[in-house]
């Protein structure tokens, strides 16, 4: 068991390990309750390290024997590993341990999922497999022998030999232990192949459980597209003879980039038109790309220590979003990414869990696989690219790969590459890695004698541990439109470095309308007091798709805010202005679908809180409903026209064109449902031949309160498909009216198929309840109590997934005193639980501040 007493690790305390690992031989003899792991590890002194006592990590291991250079030793065992006297100079360490994968419900280390063996070692799971220096800066060459009756036995690298009951793998590329993987089971493979740019043939496989073999083709194509894209855009070629992907049903995260053997949550790789939505397809394509791209950004060049996590994650998220932009629509991808950033990263950065992109301390590293490290980390790379330009970025990346291939690096190494290749001083830019919180950017403007001046002020509110903030480097993309709506100054990148700074534009005939922060060029909160006329003007004329969308979003926010706080009615002027945009058939249907969506209730709560208004979840819900009703009524003529435009007659393809049309059609359907009580939705449900159409129709029927028959039919049709049933569980909690949400979630947990130890199923119910804003925040506290009960229960089995879910409480201080007290009580009840895991202890402590 991990030690639950909080021990804080600091970046400033980094010291290299005293030895290098020349090579590792592992023999794993599989058995559900008593797997034997024998290791043979050659240690050599590390000339760059200070003298230290020999220590190997190890957790939940039963040591059978250990020896040094063939002589048996008796190490001192601690809660975290072992210590031992060792000779000076190099030596051969051998050990044998026993572990019980079938009892491992934490899904870290070696565990079992539906009868198959699999591993998850990032961040610190390898220490649950054998004694080892389990830290990313110790890289070594692994040879692995797997013994067991399972027909398929896989590990990293290339297969070297196999016989009856055993298989041997060798990975020639030195790697840290967190990239180790082993899989064994009764699996079927969907094969493929790829010829690299230098003409090498690579064998590709997607391994799945029998029954899932029909859901691999899309993932395989996505893998090939990713391999090609990384060659064409980054010049990066794959470096082994084989690349395997395995789908696993029980997995804490989305997927894992183990060298040559990526392990995926089955929800992030298995796809078919009947069972997957367009959103699933797009996400699967992106995650396959993400894990594949890690081969260079993460595996060939890895992190020196876990504080540097954003080195691989920020960069790899940035790369996968570039890939999606190239494969699909760049504008739609950018808007979607910003929606996601505001929904997940902004609340984190503006609440008690706020931390820098590169944290400086932690208790449990698993708690730092966050939206800040991943998504803000990617935004930081995007800003760097905007500042230096695409060409200089490409040159810097070439230098990064050339200089650091095979190394375990830091953010300092990364920035130095940019400094050396561009001649820029990035000292101030580096604050993006060390300063937490979301900067607020205020703007004022002035026009006189043909000169237009924009003055910006930046200020970042205090965050935990950081009361004072220094100005950051902000790339601010600006374009100017003249009063006719023509663009007179195309997108220009202003580089703001001061707390307050002005920029001038000369030679203008009239006061222009500015389009500021185009493409969301920096992850800030833009606070510009502008009139509704100006926003409507940008909605009609801006050439920048992001800001056109943002103008409409701003108008929607203003309208909802007035409805909530002043009891105003819906803003018909905005609804009419938006109609003009929606009628523009030259616009991408996917873009129009985004225009049709309203800000989420959580986003509105955040906005009100930022303005000093205590958000009332019931009032927010009511206003959103009223506005949707008004949109539907006002557009009763428009909706059928858009529906006709959104029709797809061709056979199903999960591509950008078709999915954009379906997104538009389904956004329209949800409004239409408000007019016809679910008639059109029922018709769409009955006729649907793909999951996108079926699930959207079901969602509409739930909102209309006309879902009973469809829910039963859906269940009868899909009861044997666990991934589809996850959607069924999730949707009825997320889409139901708030007053029914907790009762519904609770009833679902009574079902025999509510397998709560499966992270996907647990999240389907609990995550969806948290998404039902007014339902979760029920005034009587029932949502908080229900969730806290379940988090307490899950923590005993799976601390990692429990800890991640604790973040649903991160906005607790936003709400009224009654709700605050109820949420605090729920958190305190979790905190008081005897035997609480280190993961959850850290989260709850931070949340309570
Ligand atoms: N590195 C993976 C994500 C991942 C992280 C931690 C895990 O277990 C604690 C599992 C997966 C990625 O970025 O895809
Ligand atoms: Zn990643």
């Amino acid at each position: 068991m991990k030690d639950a007493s909080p021990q804080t690790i600091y970046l400033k305390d980094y010291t290299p390990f005293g030895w290098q690992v020349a090579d590792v031989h592992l023999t794993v003899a599989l058995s559900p309750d008593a797997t034997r792991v024998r290791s043979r590890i050659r240690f050599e002194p590390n000339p760059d390290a200070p003298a230290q006592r020999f220590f190997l990590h190890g957790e939940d291991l039963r040591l059978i024997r250990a020896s040094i250079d063939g002589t048996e030793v008796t190490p001192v065992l601690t809660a975290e590993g072992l210590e031992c006297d060792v000779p000076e100079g190099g030596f051969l360490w051998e050990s044998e341990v026993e572990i019980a994968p079938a009892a491992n419900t934490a899904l870290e280390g070696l565990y079992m999922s539906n009868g198959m063996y699999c591993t998850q070692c990032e961040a610190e799971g390898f220490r649950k497999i054998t004694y080892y220096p389990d830290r990313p800066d110790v890289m070594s060459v692994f040879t692995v022998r797997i013994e067991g009756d399972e027909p398929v036995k896989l590990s990293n690298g290339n297969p070297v030999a196999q016989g009856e009951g055993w298989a041997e793998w060798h990975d020639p590329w030195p790697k840290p232990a967190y990239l180790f993987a082993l899989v064994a089971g009764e699996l079927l493979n969907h094969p493929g192949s790829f010829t690299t740019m230098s003409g090498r043939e690579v064998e590709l496989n997607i391994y799945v459980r029998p029954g899932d073999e029909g859901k691999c083709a899309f993932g395989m194509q996505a893998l090939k597209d990713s391999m090609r894209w990384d060659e064409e855009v980054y010049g990066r070629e794959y470096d082994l003879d084989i690349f395997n992907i395995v789908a696993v049903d029980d997995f804490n995260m989305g997927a894992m980039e183990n060298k040559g053997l990526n392990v995926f949550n089955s929800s992030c790789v298995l796809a078919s038109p009947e069972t997957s939505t367009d959103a699933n397809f797009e996400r699967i394509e992106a995650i396959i790309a993400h894990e594949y791209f890690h081969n260079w950004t993460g595996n060939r060049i890895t992190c020196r220590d876990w504080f540097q996590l954003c080195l691989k994650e920020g960069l790899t998220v940035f790369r996968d979003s570039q890939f999606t932009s190239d494969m699909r629509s760049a504008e739609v991808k950018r808007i979607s990414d910003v929606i996601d950033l505001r929904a997940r990263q902004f609340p984190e950065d503006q609440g008690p869990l706020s931390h820098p992109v590169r944290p400086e301390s932690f208790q449990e590293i698993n708690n730092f696989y966050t939206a800040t490290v991943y998504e803000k980390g990617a935004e930081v790379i995007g800003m760097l690219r905007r500042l230096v330009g695409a060409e200089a970025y490409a040159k810097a990346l070439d230098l990064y790969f050339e200089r650091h291939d095979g190394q375990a690096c830091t953010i300092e190494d990364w920035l130095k590459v940019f400094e050396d290749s561009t001649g820029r001083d990035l000292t101030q830019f580096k604050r993006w890695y060390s300063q937490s919180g979301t900067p607020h950017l205020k703007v004022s403007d002035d026009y006189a004698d043909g000169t237009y001046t924009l003055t910006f002020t930046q200020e970042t509110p205090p965050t935990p541990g950081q009361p004072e903030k220094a100005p950051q480097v902000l790339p601010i993309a600006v374009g100017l439109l003249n009063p006719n709506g023509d663009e007179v100054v195309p997108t220009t990148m202003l580089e703001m470095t001061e707390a307050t700074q002005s920029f001038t534009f000369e030679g203008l005939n009239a006061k222009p309308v500015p389009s500021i922060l185009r493409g969301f060029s920096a992850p800030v909160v833009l606070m510009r007091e502008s009139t509704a006329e100006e926003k409507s003007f940008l909605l009609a004329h801006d050439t920048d798709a992001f800001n056109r969308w943002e103008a409409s979003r701003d108008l929607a926010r203003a309208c909802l805010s007035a409805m909530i706080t002043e009891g105003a009615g819906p803003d018909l002027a905005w609804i009419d202005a938006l109609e003009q945009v929606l009628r523009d058939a030259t616009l991408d249907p996917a873009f129009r679908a985004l225009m049709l969506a309203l800000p989420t209730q959580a986003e509105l709560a955040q906005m009100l809180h930022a303005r000093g208004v205590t958000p009332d979840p019931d009032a927010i819900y009511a206003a959103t409903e009223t506005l949707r009703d008004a949109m539907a009524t006002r557009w009763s003529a428009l909706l059928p026209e858009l529906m006709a435009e959104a029709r797809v007659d061709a056979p199903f393809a999960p591509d950008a064109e078709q999915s954009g049309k379906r997104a538009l059609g389904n956004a329209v359907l949800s409004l239409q449902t408000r007019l016809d009580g679910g008639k059109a939705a029922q018709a769409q449900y009955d006729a649907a031949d793909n999951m996108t159409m079926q699930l959207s129709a079901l969602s509409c029927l739930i909102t209309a309160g006309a879902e009973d028959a469809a829910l039963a039919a859906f269940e009868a049709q899909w009861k044997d498909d666990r991934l589809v049933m996850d959607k069924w569980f999730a949707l009825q909690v997320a889409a139901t009216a708030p007053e029914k949400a907790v009762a519904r979630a609770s009833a679902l947990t009574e079902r025999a198929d509510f397998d709560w130890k499966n992270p996907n199923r647990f999240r389907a119910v609990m995550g969806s309840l948290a998404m039902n804003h007014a339902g979760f925040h029920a005034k009587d506290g029932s949502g908080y109590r229900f969730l806290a009960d379940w988090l307490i229960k899950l923590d005993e089995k799976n601390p990692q997934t429990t800890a991640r879910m604790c973040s649903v409480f991160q906005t607790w201080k936003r709400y009224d005193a009654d709700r605050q007290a109820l949420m605090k009580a729920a958190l305190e009840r979790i905190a008081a639980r005897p035997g609480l895991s280190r993961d959850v202890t850290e989260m709850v402590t931070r949340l309570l501040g």
Side-chain angles (χ1 to χ4, degrees):
M1 240 348 240
K2 266 186 226 174
D3 183 6
S5 65
Q7 195 200 341
T8 304
I9 324 265
Y10 295 93
L11 167 59
K12 63 176 168 36
D13 291 343
Y14 172 81
T15 3
F17 184 55
W19 291 263
Q20 289 164 343
V21 176
D23 55 22
V24 186
H25 284 78
L26 291 180
T27 300
V28 183
L30 295 169
S31 152
D33 305 309
T35 289
R36 286 289 173 106
V37 182
R38 292 191 293 277
S39 72
R40 201 146 49 83
I41 307 170
R42 279 197 305 129
F43 287 101
E44 300 290 345
N46 178 0
D48 300 326
Q52 55 198 266
R53 185 148 163 80
F54 183 70
F55 171 80
L56 299 178
H57 294 106
E59 263 174 37
D60 303 340
L61 305 174
R62 191 163 80 82
L63 180 63
I64 309 288
R65 59 177 185 85
S67 69
I68 288 178
D69 292 331
T71 304
E72 198 117 330
V73 291
T74 314
V76 178
L77 302 184
T78 72
E80 263 122 46
L82 61 76
E83 290 182 359
C84 194
D85 293 329
V86 298
E88 271 177 43
F91 58 91
L92 180 70
W93 164 269
E94 288 173 283
S95 80
E96 179 165 356
V97 300
E98 192 177 281
I99 52 180
N104 180 353
T105 56
L107 316 181
E108 267 182 330
L110 178 67
Y111 65 95
M112 299 195 76
S113 170
N114 288 320
M116 107 196 218
Y117 292 90
C118 64
T119 55
Q120 172 53 40
C121 292
E122 187 175 8
E124 298 179 332
F126 192 73
R127 62 190 63 183
K128 292 180 153 191
I129 296 176
T130 192
Y131 287 102
Y132 196 76
D134 187 8
R135 36 186 293 165
D137 58 346
V138 174
M139 299 172 82
S140 188
V141 172
F142 283 64
T143 305
V144 178
R145 180 184 161 96
I146 308 168
E147 297 175 355
D149 298 333
E150 296 68 26
V152 172
K153 295 184 273 296
L154 309 170
S155 191
N156 315 90
N158 300 315
V160 284
Q162 59 177 319
E164 192 58 32
W166 63 275
E168 203 171 293
W169 290 78
H170 176 74
D171 181 0
W173 298 102
K175 65 166 175 292
Y178 83 85
L179 292 172
F180 167 82
L182 179 156
V183 169
E186 237 174 85
L187 299 168
L188 295 177
N189 74 316
H190 178 104
S193 78
F194 180 81
T195 310
T196 69
M197 61 188 186
S198 71
R200 274 186 318 102
E201 200 63 20
V202 180
E203 177 188 331
L204 311 175
N205 292 297
I206 298 183
Y207 282 94
V208 297
R209 290 205 296 133
D212 288 337
E213 58 276 18
K215 294 182 178 178
C216 301
F218 179 80
M220 180 57 77
Q221 188 56 46
L223 174 59
K224 292 179 195 172
D225 290 341
S226 310
M227 294 177 89
R228 185 65 69 216
W229 186 91
D230 213 16
E231 291 183 344
E232 287 172 355
V233 179
Y234 279 82
R236 298 294 114 202
E237 187 174 351
Y238 185 61
D239 54 4
L240 289 166
D241 304 333
I242 184 166
F243 186 86
N244 288 322
I245 285 178
V246 183
V248 176
D249 289 337
D250 298 277
F251 200 75
N252 282 333
M253 310 275 275
M256 180 61 211
E257 70 264 23
N258 316 299
K259 183 78 185 189
L261 178 54
N262 287 2
V263 174
F264 276 64
N265 185 320
S266 49
S267 71
C268 297
V269 57
L270 301 179
S272 76
E274 298 72 36
T275 59
S276 312
T277 63
D278 288 319
N280 295 149
F281 278 105
E282 182 170 336
R283 185 162 140 121
I284 287 168
E285 183 179 77
I287 296 181
I288 288 188
H290 179 97
E291 305 310 331
Y292 176 73
F293 296 159
H294 267 315
N295 191 54
W296 276 93
T297 51
N299 301 3
R300 293 284 290 249
I301 305 181
T302 194
C303 303
R304 187 193 71 173
D305 54 69
W306 289 119
F307 296 102
Q308 321 294 332
L309 185 58
C310 63
L311 178 76
K312 71 176 177 87
E313 296 305 347
L315 179 53
T316 305
V317 171
F318 180 69
R319 275 152 51 69
D320 82 55
S321 63
Q322 285 183 300
F323 169 77
T324 300
S325 304
D326 286 353
M327 299 290 290
R328 294 166 181 262
S329 151
E331 291 167 348
V332 168
K333 173 66 174 160
R334 187 62 189 143
I335 296 169
S336 313
D337 279 352
V338 176
I339 291 174
D340 181 64
L341 189 80
R342 286 177 174 155
R344 299 193 305 115
Q345 200 276 327
F346 277 25
E348 185 168 274
D349 225 358
Q350 295 166 23
L353 299 180
S354 183
H355 56 277
V357 170
R358 181 172 72 174
E360 275 153 35
S361 68
F362 61 74
Q363 286 168 11
E364 172 52 64
I365 183 57
N366 287 335
N367 289 335
F368 286 84
Y369 286 78
T370 59
T372 297
V373 169
Y374 275 67
E375 273 72 33
K376 189 176 177 184
E379 289 297 319
V380 172
I381 308 235
M383 283 190 285
L384 196 50
R385 188 169 182 270
R386 257 164 244 137
L387 288 168
V388 303
E391 224 172 278
Y393 171 83
K395 245 183 66 195
L397 266 283
D398 284 343
L399 179 61
Y400 179 62
F401 293 121
E402 188 190 313
R403 189 183 280 180
H404 293 297
D405 188 13
Q407 297 177 2
C409 295
T410 60
I411 288 304
E412 282 72 18
D413 296 326
W414 162 255
L415 291 176
K416 182 81 169 58
V417 163
F418 277 81
E419 292 191 324
D420 290 352
S421 67
T422 65
R424 260 175 185 261
D425 177 354
L426 293 174
T427 313
Q428 187 186 0
F429 185 82
K430 198 176 165 192
R431 285 182 190 147
W432 277 108
Y433 288 98
S434 58
Q435 231 169 237
S436 55
T438 314
H440 289 183
L441 186 62
K442 294 196 177 127
V443 195
S444 61
D445 63 348
D446 185 55
Y447 175 79
D449 306 328
T451 298
Y452 181 65
T453 305
L454 278 171
T455 301
F456 297 94
T457 302
Q458 58 166 305
E459 194 193 317
T460 305
T463 50
Q466 295 191 350
E468 303 287 334
K469 310 281 181 177
Q472 300 190 178
V473 183
L474 302 180
I476 306 173
V478 171
L480 301 180
L481 309 181
N482 75 12
N484 305 330
D486 299 326
E487 188 168 80
V488 282
V489 174
T491 304
T492 306
M493 200 63 69
L494 309 177
E495 190 173 332
M496 181 179 187
T497 54
E498 311 288 326
T500 297
Q501 201 168 345
S502 296
F503 299 87
T504 57
F505 300 84
E506 316 275 340
L508 295 161
N509 296 329
K511 181 173 182 184
V513 176
S515 165
I516 297 168
L517 208 68
R518 283 185 159 179
F520 201 63
S521 58
V524 300
V525 178
L526 183 61
M527 305 175 94
R528 172 165 158 75
E529 300 293 327
S530 73
T531 60
E533 288 72 51
E534 187 183 301
K535 285 177 187 138
S536 304
F537 179 89
L538 289 172
L539 169 58
H541 300 292
D542 205 331
T543 58
D544 181 72
F546 177 83
N547 266 3
R548 224 177 154 189
W549 170 83
E550 183 83 316
S552 183
R553 194 75 159 187
D554 272 341
L555 288 164
R557 285 186 200 108
C559 160
L560 284 159
S561 171
M563 291 171 75
I564 295 161
T565 60
E566 297 156 29
D571 176 0
L572 299 180
W574 164 64
I575 296 178
D576 291 346
L578 185 52
E579 176 167 352
Q580 295 315 306
V581 178
L582 295 171
R583 282 186 180 282
D584 182 349
T586 64
L587 290 174
D588 182 353
F591 175 74
R592 285 185 279 163
L594 287 170
M595 296 291 272
L596 266 173
L598 292 182
T600 64
Q601 293 164 55
E603 185 183 340
L604 293 168
Q606 179 172 306
M607 171 196 78
L608 293 171
H609 171 71
R611 293 186 191 159
V613 179
T614 302
D616 172 354
D618 301 319
I620 293 174
Y621 172 75
T624 305
E625 286 295 294
T626 307
L627 181 55
R628 288 216 174 92
D629 285 343
M631 290 159 81
T633 313
R634 191 98 178 152
W635 291 340
S636 58
L638 170 71
L639 297 180
E641 291 172 37
L642 288 178
M643 198 52 123
E645 232 191 293
R647 241 180 76 158
V648 176
D649 292 318
F652 180 93
D655 56 23
E657 192 191 330
Q658 279 197 16
S659 68
K661 284 190 168 184
R662 281 188 287 270
L664 178 59
N666 287 324
V668 169
L669 183 70
S670 82
L671 292 175
Q672 184 64 41
T673 301
R674 288 167 190 274
L675 301 178
D676 69 12
K679 220 168 126 240
Q682 187 64 54
Q684 176 168 318
Y685 187 88
D686 294 337
D689 63 356
N690 63 73
M691 186 47 67
T692 308
M693 299 300 270
Q694 191 177 12
L695 204 66
S696 320
L698 182 59
S699 171
C700 292
L701 291 169
I702 294 173
T703 332
E707 72 273 37
D708 290 348
L711 275 177
F714 193 99
E715 184 188 357
Q717 185 182 357
W718 295 115
K719 60 182 183 310
D720 296 325
D721 188 310
R722 62 212 178 281
L723 293 177
V724 179
M725 284 305 282
D726 285 337
K727 302 183 203 302
W728 181 87
F729 272 88
L731 188 64
Q732 33 184 327
V733 180
T736 202
E739 63 276 12
K740 291 194 258 173
V742 178
R744 202 158 224 173
S746 175
L748 287 171
T749 62
E750 303 286 323
R751 290 173 55 102
D753 56 354
F754 179 66
D755 174 10
W756 56 275
K757 288 176 213 151
N758 174 268
N760 291 359
R761 189 66 38 106
F762 188 88
R763 278 189 291 253
V765 174
M766 306 302 157
S768 303
L769 177 60
M771 301 268 282
N772 189 320
H773 187 253
F776 176 55
H777 291 286
K779 223 176 160 45
D780 60 2
S782 53
Y784 312 143
R785 275 195 301 277
F786 174 77
L787 202 64
D789 288 343
W790 275 101
L791 292 176
I792 287 168
K793 183 162 170 175
L794 186 67
D795 186 47
E796 262 182 49
K797 303 288 175 196
N798 186 335
Q800 208 186 106
T801 289
T802 311
R804 291 182 74 76
M805 290 221 56
C806 287
S807 63
V808 302
F809 287 106
Q810 70 184 334
T811 55
W812 70 278
K813 285 194 179 161
R814 251 185 216 164
Y815 296 91
D816 53 85
D818 291 345
R819 284 186 173 87
Q820 278 196 34
L822 290 163
M823 277 188 268
K824 187 156 178 262
L827 286 167
E828 282 169 348
R829 195 155 58 83
I830 299 173
R833 185 76 187 175
L836 198 68
S837 68
R838 178 168 75 196
D839 311 55
V840 175
T841 304
E842 180 183 30
M843 288 298 282
V844 176
T845 311
R846 285 165 68 208
L847 284 164
L848 287 168

